[in-house]
Amino acid sequence: MKSLTSRMQAVQSPIIPVVGELIKNSPGTISLGQGVVSYNPPHEAIEFLAKFLAEPTNNLYKAVEGIPPLLTALAGKLQAFNRIEINGENCIVVTAGSNMGFMNAILAITNPGDEIILNTPYYFNHEMAIAMAGCRAVLVATDENYQLRPDAIAQAITPKTRAVVTISPNNPTGVVYSEAALRQVNQICATHSIYHISDEAYEYFTYNGVKHVSPGSFSNSSEYTISLYSFSKAYGFASWRIGYMVIPKHLLVAVKKVQDTILICPPVISQYAALGALQTKEDYLKSHIGAIAQVRQLVLDSLNRLQGLCSIIPANGAFYFFLKVHTQMDAFELVKQLIQEHKVAVIPGTTFGIDDGCYLRVAYGALQKETAKEGIERLVQGLETIVRS
């Protein structure tokens, strides 16, 4: 059969499997690539699986937007942690991960040819989803510290713009956007009658006293703010595929059409696990994120030895650093050499829409202290060897 062409040819290939194949072919490589945590879901999540199994009707389809007990528990969490009140103007939709929430949102608010503003560096799955929907990603550069530039965002808006996307804490840079900047973006969206899509998958991962802020909590923002959340990071739920979105009520019919077509309903067994996770005591998150904070400091101390060879921007969130390497080398070629010659893997910045230099995303959430120390040493020595040779 002759090869077919489709819209998918315009979509970039996911980088994680590509790097994963390189790692597989170089046994013993330590990965500073994929953004996952090292710890397991809380025991409360596992205990709730018995409740799922005890009810025979749980093998049937359930509500498109999620099971009522989970929706109630999420409303409580949103009120307590995010200061978002679920009221007559907004509602919660449970999804198979926050990536699906983003796709739901894009398909619900756009027509082919519409524009979505992404701040660069962007999260690659966001750009891919926009391309799949037949829309165009309009890229707006952040400043030298990877912080938002609201004036530049406002200037990028055209009659075809449907939304501005922000990610805080940020993937891939790890920076946390200021409340003032997020309020400016929210106001810009309100003024232009477009949506603010706020991806908050890393909401719990902040350091040095920095606090997470949810744009959905700002006054009068319910009508145009779409907030995306995930269980994958905070609760070690990566493969369980469960997340949720808070959307304006007027989008519910459209979002349910998308979700019913692609998914029918979020995996009910995962919804029970999520319900269990929400019963977890604060110590679970506090201790695990505290351990990641220690790894973060260890990684930062080692990276600081690369001053002059790399630019390391301060980042107080998520579990990433985004390095600018002072070299003319292609970022992917550098990644390949680091894996093949120094047994350490990172992700090239080109994947995140940055091609005006050599950038690398370093992820440290998946590592214990000992492995992190060895991995970051390999990275530092590898960069010193390759770039200076």
Side-chain angles (χ1 to χ4, degrees), residues 77-189:
K77 175 266 177 184
L78 288 161
Q79 178 81 59
F81 185 78
N82 306 94
R83 298 185 180 178
I84 294 175
E85 181 185 356
I86 300 302
N87 50 42
E89 296 179 358
N90 61 8
C91 56
I92 303 167
V93 176
V94 180
T95 61
S98 60
N99 269 9
M100 182 171 189
F102 186 82
M103 192 83 222
N104 284 354
I106 295 301
L107 291 173
I109 68 174
T110 64
N111 289 308
D114 283 345
E115 296 173 352
I116 305 291
I117 292 176
L118 298 182
N119 296 281
T120 58
Y122 54 62
Y123 172 44
F124 54 84
N125 281 142
H126 285 174
E127 191 271 341
M128 292 166 68
I130 291 164
M132 284 181 195
C135 297
R136 188 170 82 88
V138 174
L139 308 184
V140 175
T142 49
D143 69 15
E144 64 277 5
N145 291 316
Y146 303 131
Q147 291 290 334
L148 296 171
R149 296 163 58 232
D151 290 347
I153 291 170
Q155 289 171 10
I157 293 172
T158 75
K160 289 191 172 185
T161 306
R162 293 294 170 264
V164 176
V165 179
T166 61
I167 310 169
S168 183
N170 188 260
N171 177 11
T173 66
V175 304
V176 180
Y177 297 148
S178 70
E179 179 175 343
L182 289 169
R183 283 188 181 277
Q184 280 184 271
V185 172
N186 238 38
Q187 186 55 54
I188 288 166
C189 292

Side-chain angles (χ1 to χ4, degrees), residues 314-359:
N316 288 310
F319 32 75
Y320 307 111
F321 289 112
F322 200 65
L323 308 184
K324 180 177 183 180
V325 186
H326 303 314
T327 177
Q328 298 301 312
M329 281 187 73
D330 173 77
F332 186 65
E333 286 304 313
L334 178 54
V335 167
K336 281 204 293 190
Q337 279 196 47
L338 285 167
I339 294 171
Q340 292 165 354
E341 299 170 14
H342 298 274
K343 305 285 187 182
V344 62
V346 288
I347 303 296
T350 45
T351 301
F352 307 98
I354 302 294
D355 54 12
D356 62 342
C358 185
Y359 291 79

Side-chain angles (χ1 to χ4, degrees), residues 62-71 92-95 259 265-266 271:
K62 296 296 180 182
V64 176
E65 66 268 35
I67 59 174
L70 181 55
L71 294 173
I92 303 167
V93 176
V94 180
T95 61
Q259 183 139 300
C265 68
Q271 292 190 66

Side-chain angles (χ1 to χ4, degrees), residues 11-82:
V11 179
Q12 68 164 304
S13 295
I15 191 66
I16 299 296
V18 175
V19 172
E21 191 65 24
L22 289 170
I23 292 171
K24 191 171 80 173
N25 294 331
S26 188
T29 295
I30 294 175
S31 177
L32 301 170
Q34 196 161 23
V36 292
V37 295
S38 63
Y39 55 88
N40 294 321
H43 65 84
E44 290 90 343
I46 309 305
E47 287 173 356
F48 263 63
L49 299 183
K51 295 179 183 290
F52 167 83
L53 294 168
E55 175 50 68
T57 65
N58 280 335
N59 295 315
L60 303 175
Y61 296 130
K62 296 296 180 182
V64 176
E65 66 268 35
I67 59 174
L70 181 55
L71 294 173
T72 299
L74 290 172
K77 175 266 177 184
L78 288 161
Q79 178 81 59
F81 185 78
N82 306 94

Side-chain angles (χ1 to χ4, degrees), residues 30 32 295-296 298-299 302 364 366-378:
I30 294 175
L32 301 170
V295 171
R296 173 187 175 276
L298 185 153
V299 169
S302 293
Y364 54 86
L367 304 179
Q368 303 292 344
K369 250 183 170 179
E370 298 72 24
T371 316
K373 189 168 186 180
E374 174 62 26
I376 205 67
E377 281 301 310
R378 291 183 190 182

